[in-house]
Every structure is written in C-alpha cells, then in structure tokens.
Amino acid sequence: MNIILLGPPGAGKGTQARKLVDERAMVQLSTGDMLREARSSGTEMGRIVAEVMDKGHLVTDEIVIGLIREKLTTGMAKGGYIFDGFPRTLAQADALGVLLADLGQPLDHVIEMRVDDAALVARITGRSTCAGCGEVYHDVTRPVPADGKCANCGGTTFTRRADDNEDSLKTRLLAYYKQTSPLIGFYYAKGMLEGVDGLAEIDDVAASIAAILD
Ligand code: AMP
C-alpha cells in the first residue's frame, strides 16, 4: 500500500508517518528529511538547498523528484511507502504518478491532515526532535521526559529545525497555499482524497488514519 500524507507544515505528517512505520511494515519517504540529510552531509546539492529551506521556500521540483526517484528505483518497500511532504506541487504529483505507474505500483490513499493556521504557529515554534531517532517533542504538549532522555531511544540530544520560526513559517504556509493546496483538488477530482482532523490527539488522528487504511 502506498499513501500520501498531505497537509501544511506542522499538521503532524511526520509524527503520523513514524507511527505507521512502527505499526506496519511501511517505509517513510520524507523529502524534508532527505534534504536535511543532504545539507548536513555538505554536498553541493546540500549547499544549494540550505538557504532555500531556511527561508521557507520550496526546493526545485527537479531536485526533490530526483531524490524520490532514487529511493523508488532502488527496490520497493514490502509494506509500501508513506510519502511525507511529497508531492508539494502539481509537477511533483504528476512525476510521482509516472514513477509509480512505471513500477507497476498503485497509489492507494491520499490523506489530507486538516488543521487551522493558528494552531500551526504554536506547534511549530515549540517543536524539537531527538537527534538519535527523530522522535518529535513539543515544549508544551509533549515535553522531553524529565530525565532528559528520549522516550524512544534514550538519546539525550534534541535539535530544533532552523526553519521552525515564525518568519519561515509564514513563507512555508504561503508556499503551501500557493503551490501545494491545489493538490487537494487534484486528488479529489481523481476520487482519491480522504481527510482527517489533524487537530485531534495524536492517537485519535492515528485511529482515523488506520480506519482509512483498513
Ligand atoms: P518538511 O520537513 O517537509 O517541512 O520540509 C522542510 C523544507 O524542505 C521545506 O520547507 C522545503 O524548503 C523543503 N522541501 C521538503 N519537501 C519538499 C518538496 N516536496 N518540494 C520542495 N521543497 C521541499
């Protein structure tokens, strides 16, 4: 089963994708994670994308489609893929359709995570991530355990993303509405769009997603 999690920054796509990875034999393909990996590895591509990401703009279609193509053509995951943060433009959606068709793979569900903008600012500005395993925490709603150790892997280093600030978020939201939200109509017209309330508790969102997948 291959699915897309669609929604603005801070909607909880990464958190839900990680739960699906833990609970089903699915593989998370997050273009944001791939780009952060590229920038920290100091490659030429990493240098090019770093500035774009920090400002909150979208990286070119060519780069992200290339990253996804590379992952998909090196062997399919048994339990299927969760596309997290991809596609973000109509060109990316078209490219994904072609890539999956070439591999004889279906796109089973497109799940829109619905949230309101006011909640996103609070979510994004309090967010931190375990450097060891990527577990996501939040200063108010899910603080790092009192012993300072990640509940998932025991790691003690937590990082905040350079683009998780109010200025970048404004640009990221604008990019979402201008470039990504047309995908809602695109997949709706194909009869593939399903929605969940992204403002519900993490486990309740997960249950809504499970109800769609099963
Ligand atoms: P994310 O972790 O999904 O919030 O992505 C972080 C940043 O990486 C975005 O603000 C963009 O600059 C870049 N990015 C991630 N995925 C894409 C994509 N599919 N297309 C273009 N830029 C992307």
Side-chain angles (χ1 to χ4, degrees):
M1 180 168 358
N2 299 305
I3 68 169
I4 293 173
L5 293 182
L6 193 63
K13 302 185 295 292
T15 301
Q16 294 300 328
R18 289 177 57 79
K19 278 182 91 69
L20 289 168
V21 169
D22 288 346
E23 288 158 17
R24 303 165 188 249
M26 297 183 82
V27 170
Q28 175 187 14
L29 288 186
S30 156
T31 39
D33 284 349
M34 293 174 208
L35 291 165
R36 279 184 286 279
E37 207 175 290
R39 64 182 289 178
S40 62
S41 68
T43 58
E44 176 62 19
M45 195 246 281
R47 273 194 296 277
I48 294 169
V49 301
E51 203 181 322
V52 178
M53 290 175 77
D54 286 351
K55 285 192 181 141
H57 295 295
L58 292 190
V59 169
T60 64
D61 288 334
E62 197 189 351
I63 288 179
V64 287
I65 291 167
L67 289 169
I68 289 288
R69 181 182 295 118
E70 204 180 304
K71 295 279 178 188
L72 291 183
T73 50
T74 51
M76 289 301 293
K78 239 187 179 172
Y81 288 109
I82 307 152
F83 295 97
D84 160 13
F86 179 92
R88 259 173 156 103
T89 64
L90 287 166
Q92 293 177 21
D94 279 337
L96 179 62
V98 170
L99 273 170
L100 288 174
D102 284 352
L103 293 163
Q105 285 288 322
L107 176 59
D108 299 278
H109 300 279
V110 179
I111 301 174
E112 183 196 357
M113 300 186 61
R114 299 186 181 132
V115 288
D116 69 62
D117 290 1
L120 296 178
V121 178
R123 278 194 181 184
I124 289 272
T125 50
R127 181 158 78 168
S128 64
T129 307
C130 171
C133 70
E135 191 76 0
V136 181
Y137 292 93
H138 188 278
D139 297 348
V140 178
T141 54
R142 192 172 183 246
V144 171
D147 62 3
K149 290 187 183 156
C150 172
N152 188 46
C153 75
T156 53
T157 309
F158 301 89
T159 56
R160 288 189 196 270
R161 283 170 46 171
D163 59 348
D164 273 354
N165 60 71
E166 261 189 88
D167 273 352
S168 279
L169 178 62
K170 272 186 203 148
T171 313
R172 287 158 73 195
L173 271 179
L174 217 75
Y176 178 76
Y177 289 119
K178 270 174 83 172
Q179 292 162 279
T180 307
S181 68
L183 298 186
I184 294 169
F186 178 80
Y187 287 118
Y188 175 79
K190 287 177 178 280
M192 299 186 71
L193 191 77
E194 285 145 301
V196 297
D197 173 13
L199 286 176
E201 293 294 321
I202 291 175
D203 287 342
D204 294 336
V205 180
S208 305
I209 292 175
I212 291 171
L213 302 189
D214 300 327

